[in-house]
Amino acid sequence: VAALATVFAYRLECFTPSEMNQIGAIGFLVEFESLLSTHGSENGMLGDFAAACFALNQTRLVVVKDMGDVPTGAHEIFYEKVEGCGSSTYDPVVRSFGVSRVIVDDGEKKSSSLHLIFQVTAAVYEVLPKSMKMDDISKNEEEGQQTMAGVSVTSVMFSQGINEMQTMANAMGKFSIQEDINICSFHRLQTYFEKYKHWCKDMKVLPPGRSGGDPFFSTPEAEYSRRKWVEVFEEFDIRLEGIRTTIREAHGQGKKSFMILTETAALVRDLNGSRCTSCKSAKDRTGMSVTLEQARLLADNHSLGCDSLAAERCVMLMRAHGTRLENSWKNIQKRCFAFNSFQLMNLPKIYRPPISVTGGCPS
């Protein structure tokens, strides 16, 4: 819940109207990338992680106007003021955050969901789509029931262990939970993609960066834009089928198919989704994944270089001198990654840090 609230609050801080219209219409897409292995205690952690991620699909996101207090009608469980992140000049869009458990009775059965409530500045609130606002609350005080506006959440999780423990689990054939998680999440992602595809067609827009300077069909180049829409989503269909094939080919093979992680990460970003990455400690394997993704983003969006060597150099620079070492320092007071030579040997090559920043750290 904390991760979901954080990524959505960030989106509220720096959104485009098109993104908010999309979220208001078809819901908020969030992907969790897991680097946990399927061996020992991490196997249990992975199961708990997956259960929590999938439970977020019962969550709704509600935005209210900041009135200086807790919104009327919210059955408060938790509420906290958002501070200015240590800056005297920073004025946050999200002023406070709350969590509310909502019980809905449709006459046949009762169901409950978790509503995350975000108080935002009046200026931002006014430009958000109506479906995101808490403008229709009904509450039965005697029975403790309420209904609330808000947008749905599509939460998916893709998992691939990459360390030496996963090597051991693969050798023993203990990796089925990982496959089940990936298959389930693929179907959820595919469903969201179909919604996004139809929403783009109905709204006559193209995904970010794919419009060729012409994101709307109603421009003079209307015929070109329709053709472009078909071309773009044919490409998306191919990418989605590629992910399906990667997951299918990994089934029962006991291999470290890290392409599942990189391909789904890229697709979720192109669908305007948000992402979270974690391993066991969120500093070593996570640091390798984050720096890899940063390099891919630089290559795809900021002209890092057309050859793989430039991206590889960038990854190694970020791992040797970047902020992930500061993250390690905050955790264990050492600027290094907790990989020994045996562990490095069992990591896929693209997840290996420079030797100069490994060893001497507790895992």
Side-chain angles (χ1 to χ4, degrees), residues 38-301:
T38 56
H39 180 76
S41 61
E42 287 194 13
N43 189 61
M45 295 177 191
L46 179 58
D48 292 342
F49 192 3
C53 290
F54 293 151
L56 292 178
N57 286 286
Q58 304 302 317
T59 303
R60 297 190 70 82
L61 306 172
V62 182
V63 181
V64 300
K65 187 187 298 185
D66 179 31
M67 304 297 290
D69 56 5
V70 176
T72 304
H75 180 61
E76 182 191 358
I77 295 176
F78 167 82
Y79 223 84
E80 183 170 336
K81 186 71 174 177
V82 176
E83 302 297 338
C85 301
S87 172
S88 59
T89 58
Y90 174 64
D91 186 24
V93 168
V94 179
R95 298 304 178 90
S96 53
F97 163 71
V99 180
S100 175
R101 180 171 176 266
V102 178
I103 301 174
V104 180
D105 188 351
D106 61 5
E108 296 182 359
K109 63 178 181 179
K110 291 183 179 181
S111 61
S112 65
S113 65
L114 207 61
H115 286 198
L116 306 188
I117 307 169
F118 300 82
Q119 283 190 333
V120 301
T121 59
V124 170
Y125 183 81
E126 296 303 326
V127 300
L128 293 175
K130 184 178 179 181
S131 58
M132 296 184 66
K133 304 175 184 179
M134 189 170 69
D135 54 6
D136 182 23
I137 298 179
S138 63
K139 185 176 181 182
N140 187 314
E141 294 288 350
E142 295 182 356
E143 297 185 9
Q145 300 168 359
Q146 67 177 17
T147 59
M148 191 179 295
V151 296
S152 62
V153 174
T154 297
S155 176
V156 298
M157 174 180 173
F158 290 94
S159 177
Q160 176 58 64
I162 61 173
N163 65 355
E164 77 287 354
M165 303 304 286
Q166 189 61 51
T167 303
M168 188 180 301
N170 289 345
M172 295 187 294
K174 296 182 178 180
F175 45 78
S176 60
I177 183 175
Q178 187 171 260
E179 296 178 340
D180 293 341
I181 290 169
N182 292 338
I183 292 171
C184 178
S185 290
F186 174 79
H187 291 310
R188 291 183 187 274
L189 181 60
Q190 185 178 35
T191 299
Y192 187 88
F193 168 73
E194 292 300 328
K195 292 180 182 179
Y196 178 69
K197 184 177 180 179
H198 288 103
W199 176 81
C200 285
K201 186 175 183 179
D202 293 341
M203 297 300 294
K204 300 182 178 180
V205 299
L206 292 174
R210 306 302 179 96
S211 62
D214 174 30
F216 297 97
F217 289 168
S218 57
T219 60
E221 298 84 9
E223 189 62 35
Y224 165 80
S225 293
R226 290 191 184 94
R227 185 165 59 250
K228 186 68 175 177
W229 183 90
V230 173
E231 292 174 359
V232 166
F233 281 100
E234 282 181 350
E235 176 199 337
F236 272 67
D237 286 332
I238 292 172
R239 292 171 62 188
L240 194 67
E241 186 59 32
I243 294 172
R244 185 205 302 271
T245 301
T246 302
I247 293 174
R248 185 190 300 123
E249 290 178 348
H251 186 74
Q253 297 301 308
K255 297 180 179 179
K256 295 179 182 178
S257 302
F258 58 84
M259 291 298 291
I260 293 173
L261 304 181
T262 56
E263 290 173 2
T264 53
L267 183 61
V268 167
R269 284 191 177 277
D270 284 345
L271 295 178
N272 289 322
S274 293
R275 300 190 62 258
C276 299
T277 301
S278 185
C279 56
K280 182 179 180 181
S281 65
K283 62 180 177 63
D284 301 310
R285 283 168 282 175
T286 297
M288 302 304 100
S289 179
V290 168
T291 49
L292 176 63
E293 184 174 10
Q294 288 172 338
R296 288 170 62 91
L297 290 172
L298 288 172
D300 293 342
N301 303 318

